[in-house]
């Protein structure tokens, strides 16, 4: 189904917010979307492709509680500082994401691998023998809890265990910028990855969520098109995986990473989300969007982009589930 011009219903929480703003006769000035990454784990099964998806049970201040969603997090400073790296370099990551900022691109890949490890225990890295990590260590659950609480950084975990991040194990799948009417805006890149041989998912959450493997068709059937049960981006990802026969077929797909930018409209008193592709312009032969999250440009030092500093101030602890309309 073509995404451009497609309309979806809004959640009850967003509808209430929109009604309040409309009754006041004014809407707030939208904030710049903050960069984030999400991980979509997939695996082959006898019944077809399955994906690991979570359902948030209760999280104060999170708009999409009780909705199906994939593990997602803001970018953190500790994702990039002194990051041990193997396989792809930052330039390859930038080309894959079709953005010019090499550090920003690598940051997205690293954040996706970090949330994969923290939330599911799946480690997308290689060891000193240049083999992809196969067997988990016994103390990793405690380390993951410390990662959630920002007691330790992702790059520090890799360095202390002589591991190196493997960005090539993550496949960028979708870039989604939630609506300007949200209280908190995010520019989220969703990555697809498979569970390396010898590893298993061990779900861990800091805010009482549940998770499990489901076929994309099961996700859509469970949600029943209800925006209170599934976020818009999660629904689009599940739809995109319907009919994909295997992990190999998914990883071989050529994906359009131009950002999707939904907008809220009101037709005859009914709020709807209309999906538009990013209005990209050509710049040095690279498609990009000038009105998206700060940090796409190498020289962009706008407020809100997580630049490196001497202090690893991970103030975003506990924000692993963000909203996406």
């Amino acid at each position: 189904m073509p995404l451009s011009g497609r309309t979806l219903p809004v959640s009850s929480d967003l509808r209430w917010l929109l009604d309040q703003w409309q009754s006041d006769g004014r809407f707030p000035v939208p904030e710049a979307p903050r960069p984030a990454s999400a991980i979509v784990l997939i695996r082959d099964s006898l019944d077809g492709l399955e994906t690991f998806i979570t359902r948030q049970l209760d999280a104060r201040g999170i708009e999409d509680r009780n909705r199906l969603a994939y593990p997602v997090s803001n970018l953190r400073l500790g994702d990039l500082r002194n990051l041990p790296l193997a396989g792809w370099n930052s330039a390859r990551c930038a080309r894959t994401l079709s953005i010019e900022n090499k550090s920003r691109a690598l940051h997205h890949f690293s954040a996706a691998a970090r949330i994969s490890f923290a939330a599911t225990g799946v480690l997308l890295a290689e060891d000193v023998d240049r083999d992809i990590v196969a067997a988990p260590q016994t103390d990793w659950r405690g380390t993951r809890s410390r990662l959630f609480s920002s007691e330790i950084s992702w790059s520090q975990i890799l360095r202390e265990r002589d591991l190196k991040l493997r960005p090539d194990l993550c496949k960028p799948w979708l870039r989604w910028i939630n609506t300007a009417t949200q209280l908190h805006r995010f520019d989220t890149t969703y990555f697809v990855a498979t569970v390396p041989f010898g590893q298993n998912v061990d779900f861990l959450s800091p805010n009482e969520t549940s998770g499990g493997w489901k076929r994309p068709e099961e996700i859509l059937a469970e949600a029943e098109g209800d925006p209170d049960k599934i976020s818009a981006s999660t629904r689009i990802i599940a739809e995109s995986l319907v009919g994909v026969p295997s992990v190999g077929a998914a990883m071989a797909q050529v994906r359009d990473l131009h950002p999707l930018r939904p907008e809220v409209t009101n037709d005859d008193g009914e709020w709807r989300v209309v999906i538009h592709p990013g209005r990209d312009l050509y710049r040095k032969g690279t498609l990009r969007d000038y009105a998206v999250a700060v940090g796409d440009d190498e020289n962009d030092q706008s407020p809100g982009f997580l630049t490196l500093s001497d202090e690893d101030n991970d103030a975003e602890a506990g924000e692993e589930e963000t909203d996406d309309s």
Side-chain angles (χ1 to χ4, degrees):
M1 178 183 296
L3 292 178
S4 181
R6 182 180 178 184
T7 60
L8 295 172
V10 303
S11 66
S12 57
D13 286 340
L14 181 55
R15 187 185 308 115
W16 179 88
L17 190 62
L18 292 167
D19 288 340
Q20 296 299 312
W21 283 335
Q22 187 179 54
S23 64
D24 290 340
R26 60 185 178 86
F27 284 78
V29 177
E31 67 174 19
R34 290 176 285 175
S37 290
I39 191 71
V40 182
L41 292 180
I42 57 175
R43 71 177 184 184
D44 291 321
S45 73
L46 294 178
D47 297 323
L49 190 74
E50 293 181 333
T51 178
F52 190 85
I53 194 163
T54 68
R55 180 184 287 279
Q56 192 163 15
L57 300 180
D58 185 23
R60 295 180 180 178
I62 302 298
E63 292 87 347
D64 61 342
R65 57 172 170 257
N66 299 319
R67 298 168 84 191
L68 293 163
Y70 292 104
V72 58
S73 173
N74 288 354
L75 273 56
R76 295 182 179 179
L77 301 178
D79 296 334
L80 201 57
R81 181 183 292 111
N82 299 324
L83 178 68
L85 190 64
W88 289 1
N89 58 19
S90 59
R92 178 65 183 273
C93 293
R95 290 197 300 271
T96 304
L97 290 180
S98 297
I99 62 176
E100 295 181 352
N101 190 320
K102 296 186 288 293
S103 295
R104 163 78 181 277
L106 179 57
H107 208 158
H108 272 290
F109 277 87
S110 183
R114 185 247 302 163
I115 193 61
S116 171
F117 176 65
T120 69
V122 173
L123 191 55
L124 304 173
E126 68 175 37
D127 57 24
V128 292
D129 296 322
R130 297 185 178 180
D131 295 324
I132 297 174
V133 175
Q137 299 180 12
T138 56
D139 65 336
W140 273 0
R141 222 170 201 270
T143 300
R144 292 162 56 200
S145 297
R146 295 176 63 202
L147 183 58
F148 268 127
S149 61
S150 295
E151 296 176 41
I152 190 172
S153 71
W154 171 230
S155 57
Q156 183 181 352
I157 291 174
L158 295 173
R159 293 194 308 270
E160 289 181 351
R161 286 164 172 73
D162 291 325
L163 303 175
K164 293 182 179 180
L165 174 68
R166 284 285 300 272
D168 57 308
L169 298 180
C170 297
K171 180 181 181 62
W173 194 261
L174 177 75
R175 185 176 174 187
W176 178 269
I177 304 172
N178 62 349
T179 64
T181 52
Q182 293 287 352
L183 291 177
H184 302 291
R185 299 191 66 206
F186 299 93
D187 179 352
T188 306
T189 300
Y190 288 81
F191 292 84
V192 165
T194 187
V195 180
F197 179 79
Q199 296 191 43
N200 294 294
V201 168
D202 176 26
F203 184 61
L204 181 65
S205 172
N207 50 11
E208 301 300 324
T209 65
S210 60
W213 291 99
K214 294 180 183 292
R215 291 185 297 112
E217 297 87 347
E218 293 175 329
I219 294 172
L220 296 173
E222 182 178 339
E224 300 175 334
D226 186 346
D228 290 332
K229 294 182 179 180
I230 190 170
S231 63
S233 59
T234 301
R235 177 176 174 175
I236 290 171
I237 290 170
E239 290 174 348
S240 70
L241 290 171
V242 171
V244 177
S246 65
V247 167
M251 301 302 283
Q253 275 199 19
V254 177
R255 300 294 301 174
D256 183 357
L257 295 177
H258 297 164
L260 295 180
R261 301 186 357 169
E263 297 178 357
V264 171
T265 62
N266 190 323
D267 297 325
D268 300 324
E270 183 69 21
W271 295 106
R272 308 285 291 182
V273 173
V274 182
I275 299 175
H276 299 292
R279 297 177 180 85
D280 296 326
L281 302 174
Y282 280 97
R283 181 179 180 186
K284 298 180 181 178
T286 301
L287 279 174
R288 49 166 296 145
D289 193 315
Y290 285 95
V292 298
V294 292
D296 274 347
D297 198 322
E298 285 285 3
N299 298 318
D300 190 353
Q301 297 297 325
S302 304
F305 177 53
L306 300 180
T307 54
L308 297 182
S309 64
D310 293 334
E311 297 296 330
D312 189 5
N313 181 20
D314 282 336
E316 303 90 356
E319 64 195 359
E320 264 53 44
E321 283 76 23
T322 56
D323 183 36
D324 57 12
S325 94

